[in-house]
């Protein structure tokens, strides 16, 4: 199952809301980036689990360095420790018929595997300077969960953070709470230290 939706954080209510084609300041428009979930039911020793695949795909050249993707889970779900991965790919923007080429494994394991969520950082592409506008990038992360409560909320929330500084050297951290993900800039909030985000959400049946 595949479903693409774009969500942004409402600063007044603190809730994720569905965005228009071009969201408010600070968000990445869907004309530039797609972010979504795929999910598949699997059985482990007779117990139903769900494999969740957060995905992103840039539609044009972007300096993909120091970017992150994170997913917050609602109450009533458990993340299965160690069952996770991440991989990026790239190809020439000018030739969409080219095959995708392996980029990186996002460090191989998430930067943060917590009770409340997962995040992968350093979604670095191998081309960082000069030629990067000529390439497009995509990535797929993976983690496994199981439902621990029949009344569990089924809405999973994710967000992609893109380092929008000229040299991709912004300092920021990823935070989780039940069903909520946030990014916090560290230190100066000048133009050389900023991030743009794109939110996404989906009901995971389990």
């Amino acid at each position: 199952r595949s479903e693409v939706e774009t969500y942004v954080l409402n600063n007044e209510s603190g809730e994720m809301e569905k965005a228009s084609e071009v969201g408010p300041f600070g968000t990445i428009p869907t004309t530039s980036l797609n972010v979504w979930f795929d999910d598949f039911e699997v059985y482990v020793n007779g117990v139903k689990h769900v494999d969740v695949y957060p995905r992103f795909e840039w539609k044009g050249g972007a300096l993909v360095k120091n970017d992150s993707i994170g997913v917050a889970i609602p109450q009533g779900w458990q993340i299965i420790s160690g069952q996770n991965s991440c991989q990026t790919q790239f190809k020439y923007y000018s030739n969409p018929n080219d095959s995708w080429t392996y980029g990186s494994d996002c460090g191989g394991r998430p930067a943060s595997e917590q009770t409340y969520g997962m995040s992968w950082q350093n979604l670095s592409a191998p081309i960082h300077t000069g030629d990067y506008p000529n390439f497009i990038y995509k990535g797929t992360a993976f983690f496994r969960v199981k439902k621990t409560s029949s009344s569990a909320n089924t809405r999973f929330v994710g967000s992609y953070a893109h380092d929008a500084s000229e040299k991709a050297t912004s300092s920021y951290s990823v935070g989780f709470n039940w069903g909520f993900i946030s990014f916090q800039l560290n230190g100066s909030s000048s133009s050389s230290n900023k991030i743009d985000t794109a939110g996404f959400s989906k009901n995971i049946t389990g």
Side-chain angles (χ1 to χ4, degrees), residues 105-150:
D105 64 358
C106 316
R109 287 284 181 248
S112 178
E113 178 182 330
Q114 302 178 14
T115 302
Y116 305 128
M118 305 277 292
S119 68
W120 294 262
Q121 294 179 253
N122 291 321
L123 304 179
S124 298
I127 308 297
H128 296 318
T129 58
D131 287 337
Y132 79 84
N134 298 318
F135 291 84
I136 53 175
Y137 300 92
K138 69 176 182 178
T140 300
F142 152 77
F143 68 103
R144 179 170 290 171
V145 295
K146 69 176 180 180
K147 187 182 287 188
T148 58
S149 170
S150 59

Side-chain angles (χ1 to χ4, degrees), residues 20-192:
S20 59
E21 185 71 11
V22 178
F25 177 79
T27 65
I28 306 170
T30 57
T31 50
S32 297
L33 175 70
N34 268 347
V35 283
W36 73 98
F37 286 122
D38 289 335
D39 63 287
F40 304 92
E41 293 181 1
V42 296
Y43 283 83
V44 181
N45 297 323
V47 177
K48 184 163 68 173
H49 293 65
V50 181
D51 287 351
V52 182
Y53 292 86
R55 300 181 188 269
F56 70 90
E57 183 170 345
W58 287 93
K59 298 178 181 179
L63 181 56
V64 180
K65 182 180 181 182
N66 194 31
D67 287 6
S68 300
I69 191 168
V71 180
I73 65 168
Q75 282 187 293
W77 293 84
Q78 176 188 346
I79 292 173
I80 306 304
S81 181
Q83 296 294 313
N84 51 73
S85 63
C86 181
Q87 186 179 102
T88 64
Q89 296 175 290
F90 69 96
K91 66 179 179 180
Y92 278 105
Y93 174 69
S94 59
N95 191 352
N97 294 322
D98 275 357
S99 299
W100 289 97
T101 300
Y102 168 78
S104 71
D105 64 358
C106 316
R109 287 284 181 248
S112 178
E113 178 182 330
Q114 302 178 14
T115 302
Y116 305 128
M118 305 277 292
S119 68
W120 294 262
Q121 294 179 253
N122 291 321
L123 304 179
S124 298
I127 308 297
H128 296 318
T129 58
D131 287 337
Y132 79 84
N134 298 318
F135 291 84
I136 53 175
Y137 300 92
K138 69 176 182 178
T140 300
F142 152 77
F143 68 103
R144 179 170 290 171
V145 295
K146 69 176 180 180
K147 187 182 287 188
T148 58
S149 170
S150 59
S151 61
N153 190 323
T154 61
R155 199 71 176 174
F156 279 48
V157 173
S159 190
Y160 184 100
H162 173 59
D163 189 330
S165 65
E166 292 182 0
K167 297 183 179 180
T169 55
S170 290
S171 175
Y172 65 95
S173 57
V174 184
F176 294 105
N177 206 332
W178 287 118
F180 179 80
I181 180 171
S182 62
F183 298 92
Q184 178 67 49
L185 277 170
N186 303 320
S188 171
S189 59
S190 67
S191 61
S192 62

